Structure formats: C-alpha cells, structure tokens
Amino acid sequence: MLVLLPPSEGKAASGRGAPLKPESLSLPGLADARAAVLDELVELCAADEDKAREILGLSEGLRGEIAKNAQLRTAGARQAGELYTGVLYDALGLATLEPDARRRARASLLVFSGLWGAVRIGDRIPPYRCSMGVKLPGLGALGTHWRAPMDSVLPEVAGSGLVLDLRSSAYAAAWKPKGEVAARTATVRVLHSQLVDGVEKRSVVSHFNKATKGRLVRDLLVTGARPKGPGELVEALRDLGYVVEAEPPARAGRPWSLDVVVTQIH
C-alpha cells in the first residue's frame, strides 16, 4: 500500500543536526526537479524579502519564513515525519507508533511538497515554506513543474498494490495516477453528517477532514491492514468502524471515490 499525503503548513521550528543532503532523499529520479526549485527559492528569498513574501503568499507576520528559506542549504534538517506538525500529522501520531507500525509507515507513506516533490517520512529535510500553489518567476507553477518528473517516477513507486490518495487538490495536481495505477487508487473525502430539522445535511469540515484522515491512516498502520485494492480498503475501513460509501469509477483508468461519513467532530 502506498499512501499519498499532503504536507502541513505547520512545521517544527527548526531542524536538528546535519544540514540537508539532497542526494540522500528518496525518489532520486526527482533530484533534478528538486534542485531547480531549491536553487530558485533560495536565490529569491536571499535577494528580495518583499518580492519573496508576495510570491510565496506570506503575511507580514510570516516574514521570518523567508530568512529560513534563504538558509535551506545550511539549516539543520530532521526527518519529515518529525517536521510536519499540522492537524493530520497530530492525529497520525507517528512518534507514538509501535516499532512494527512505524516500519510500515516508513515503507508506505509519501508526503508531497512544493519544494521536494515527494519525500518519505524518514527523509531528512530542513523547515521551509513553499506550497504547491506557488508560481516561481523562473519555473512557473510548481504543480505544473512537478508533473513530468512525477509521471516518470511515481508509477514505479506505486508498485502493484493499493494507492490511497489523501492529498488536497493543490498537491493532487502534481501527479494524477493513470491507467492501471488509477484503477487501484482510492481517493477519500470526509463528510460531516448532521440532522437539520429532521433532514440529513452533509458538509466538508476542513479541520476535521484532516484529523479523520490522520486517524484513518494510523488505524491502518496499527492493525497492519494490507488491502490490495480499493474494494478491500472499503472492507478494512468498515472493519475498523468507519462508515464508508464507495463509488467505483465510471470507466476504466479512473480512481475509486470513497466518502467517510462522520457524525461527530473532534
């Protein structure tokens, strides 16, 4: 099973130990595309803070993030699984997993990134600020920049098993599974169900959507579930107590769509 995750804007305040070693990152086929983004981002942030803040879409209060970007090559790095601290990652709780579940996490989780393309949770990277929605002056939209390298690398990484796609739309734009990979891919949406004047109303709640996805992945890792395809994933999630509504693709070469329906927000 390969699980595709978005990154989080929330990150640990600083890295630890040795700085980034680009050659040590997983998915070496992305190395050239990574170097291109890193070079332009560092140069932009070192040269003009105001321009960098505008391009990166940062508020005045986040100006300090620009200085961090300028020092990416020398800043201390830490494992990606420790770096991301947003809602999904808090619910996932990688640090509290037992050794077997942690090994499964290292093998199956892939975090997408505007700067790195995609990394394993064991890859050591420094704190950064660069979303997939950014358009760099030289490279253009990062979602577009990553498509060709991802199309070259990701099908092999996906192997022959289930692909569980939990990315947000901006990160999903960087790689869309095609053909037989898409046929064994499942995307997940979390819906909050509540009764309003006796009528069921469903809505997407961003914070809880992320938290539920984090708990869902954690449950799969802890139990050691190994669904081979979307149909088996639906069964595994239902066995774990989730209410799941599945929609097989309308035609070949498209992913499955899964709705996880919840009644309580926490």
Side-chain angles (χ1 to χ4, degrees):
M1 178 174 64
L2 180 67
V3 182
L4 310 181
L5 297 175
S8 65
E9 293 296 337
K11 299 179 181 68
S14 62
R16 308 188 290 198
L20 170 73
K21 294 181 179 179
E23 68 278 5
S24 72
L25 297 180
S26 302
L27 283 62
L30 301 179
D32 290 345
R34 286 173 178 149
V37 180
L38 180 62
D39 287 347
E40 183 167 357
L41 183 62
V42 169
E43 182 178 352
L44 169 69
C45 292
D48 189 332
E49 283 195 359
D50 289 330
K51 182 179 179 180
R53 188 167 67 84
E54 179 182 356
I55 289 172
L56 297 177
L58 302 179
S59 66
E60 180 62 35
L62 292 174
R63 183 178 287 270
E65 299 296 302
I66 299 168
K68 289 183 182 179
N69 281 349
Q71 302 298 321
L72 281 170
R73 291 194 180 89
T74 57
R78 66 169 66 199
Q79 291 187 9
E82 300 174 354
L83 183 71
Y84 297 113
T85 60
V87 173
L88 186 153
Y89 293 90
D90 286 345
L92 176 53
L94 290 169
T96 62
L97 290 174
E98 295 294 328
D100 284 350
R102 195 172 301 180
R103 281 193 290 270
R104 288 190 282 270
R106 285 177 174 268
S108 62
L109 304 187
L110 197 65
V111 184
F112 276 63
S113 163
L115 172 54
W116 312 112
V119 293
R120 300 282 191 184
I121 61 169
D123 286 334
R124 297 183 70 258
I125 55 177
Y128 68 96
R129 181 68 68 133
C130 183
S131 71
M132 191 66 78
V134 164
K135 294 182 179 180
L136 292 176
L139 294 176
L142 291 180
T144 302
H145 170 75
W146 284 112
R147 283 176 195 163
M150 292 286 188
D151 282 341
S152 175
V153 171
L154 266 293
E156 181 177 354
V157 175
S160 59
L162 169 72
V163 178
L164 175 54
D165 190 352
L166 302 179
R167 297 172 296 166
S168 56
S169 57
Y171 291 90
W175 182 59
K176 295 183 179 180
K178 300 180 179 69
E180 62 89 18
V181 178
R184 49 187 166 84
T185 296
T187 63
V188 173
R189 180 175 63 166
V190 179
L191 298 177
H192 176 221
S193 172
Q194 57 184 328
L195 290 178
V196 180
D197 297 328
V199 178
E200 184 193 26
K201 302 289 186 181
R202 292 183 175 184
S203 59
V204 177
V205 183
S206 178
H207 181 282
F208 189 66
N209 172 59
K210 296 174 183 177
T212 300
K213 287 179 177 179
R215 285 192 285 270
L216 182 153
V217 174
R218 182 182 178 89
D219 288 344
L220 291 171
L221 293 172
V222 168
T223 60
R226 300 182 67 181
K228 296 179 181 178
E232 290 188 16
L233 173 65
V234 172
E235 294 178 5
L237 292 177
R238 287 174 177 167
D239 288 344
L240 288 167
Y242 292 94
V243 176
V244 182
E245 297 176 355
E247 183 179 339
R251 60 179 184 269
R254 295 293 183 89
W256 284 52
S257 298
L258 274 55
D259 283 344
V260 176
V261 183
V262 298
T263 57
Q264 296 182 335
I265 296 179
H266 60 89

